[in-house]
Amino acid sequence: MVLNMKTGKLSNIASLDHVNILTKNIDKCRKFYVEGLGFEEGFRPFFDIPGLWLYLGDKPVIHIIEIAKPLPNVLSSGSIDHIAFRAHNFDKFVQRLDKHKIKWEDREIVGMDLHQLFCHDPHGIKVEFNFEGQDRPWSTLERLRYEM
């Protein structure tokens, strides 16, 4: 957790995680970001739509998704699809969202030690929060404990 030096309060949001860009031409983006700027293309888990993850060191900081047309039933604010943060304590975080009547949805990423939560700001920008390890939902941790 991060300590706010002004207020002395701890934040459950740890850091900016990545930016997700929607494109109609993934090859053009690859050429710009990888060849032109020097990002490295790396591991990306399986998703139903084509894309690539670009890394700085060991962190995938730019996610690019190729779409021919806007995704159905997806609220989008334009080329920047969403911003993402690392966060702590999923269950406590959800309580805060519910208290403020913020609608959210979540998913577990199979094959990764990761649980994601999504909500939208008042302008329609998707905000993603990534919870890893012990910060995942208690129900997930309990299930995994019994599967071992």
Side-chain angles (χ1 to χ4, degrees):
M1 293 201 213
V2 179
L3 179 65
N4 181 321
M5 299 307 283
K6 187 174 181 181
T7 65
K9 294 182 180 177
L10 291 174
S11 169
N12 285 333
I13 301 171
S15 64
L16 181 66
D17 189 69
H18 68 269
V19 175
N20 194 82
I21 299 170
L22 301 177
T23 183
K24 292 180 181 178
N25 190 330
I26 202 161
D27 292 327
K28 209 175 205 180
C29 284
R30 180 182 284 114
K31 185 173 183 168
F32 175 79
Y33 285 101
V34 176
E35 296 175 25
L37 299 181
F39 286 90
E40 290 190 29
E41 187 172 349
F43 169 78
R44 178 180 182 259
F46 174 77
F47 293 103
D48 292 335
I49 50 181
L52 60 118
W53 282 8
L54 304 177
Y55 285 70
L56 284 178
D58 64 346
K59 302 289 184 200
V61 296
I62 299 176
H63 297 182
I64 300 175
I65 295 175
E66 186 171 51
I67 59 167
K69 56 185 178 182
L71 300 172
N73 301 319
V74 174
L75 180 62
S76 178
S77 59
S79 293
I80 300 295
D81 178 64
H82 68 270
I83 57 174
F85 298 91
R86 294 278 174 199
H88 299 291
N89 196 332
F90 178 89
D91 296 312
K92 185 175 178 182
F93 197 83
V94 164
Q95 288 175 358
R96 180 185 185 103
L97 296 178
D98 290 344
K99 178 182 174 186
H100 293 278
K101 296 180 174 54
I102 297 172
K103 295 178 184 175
W104 57 273
E105 56 186 55
D106 68 317
R107 69 178 177 185
E108 182 177 350
I109 301 298
V110 177
M112 293 181 73
D113 182 22
L114 181 66
H115 200 92
Q116 298 178 315
L117 180 145
F118 303 92
C119 59
H120 290 87
D121 83 352
H123 303 287
I125 297 171
K126 187 186 319 175
V127 183
E128 172 185 318
F129 296 93
N130 290 305
F131 299 85
E132 293 183 304
Q134 296 300 312
D135 286 316
R136 291 175 294 165
W138 182 250
S139 59
T140 298
L141 298 174
E142 280 288 295
R143 188 190 80 240
L144 293 173
R145 188 179 94 171
Y146 289 111
E147 288 177 2
M148 295 179 127

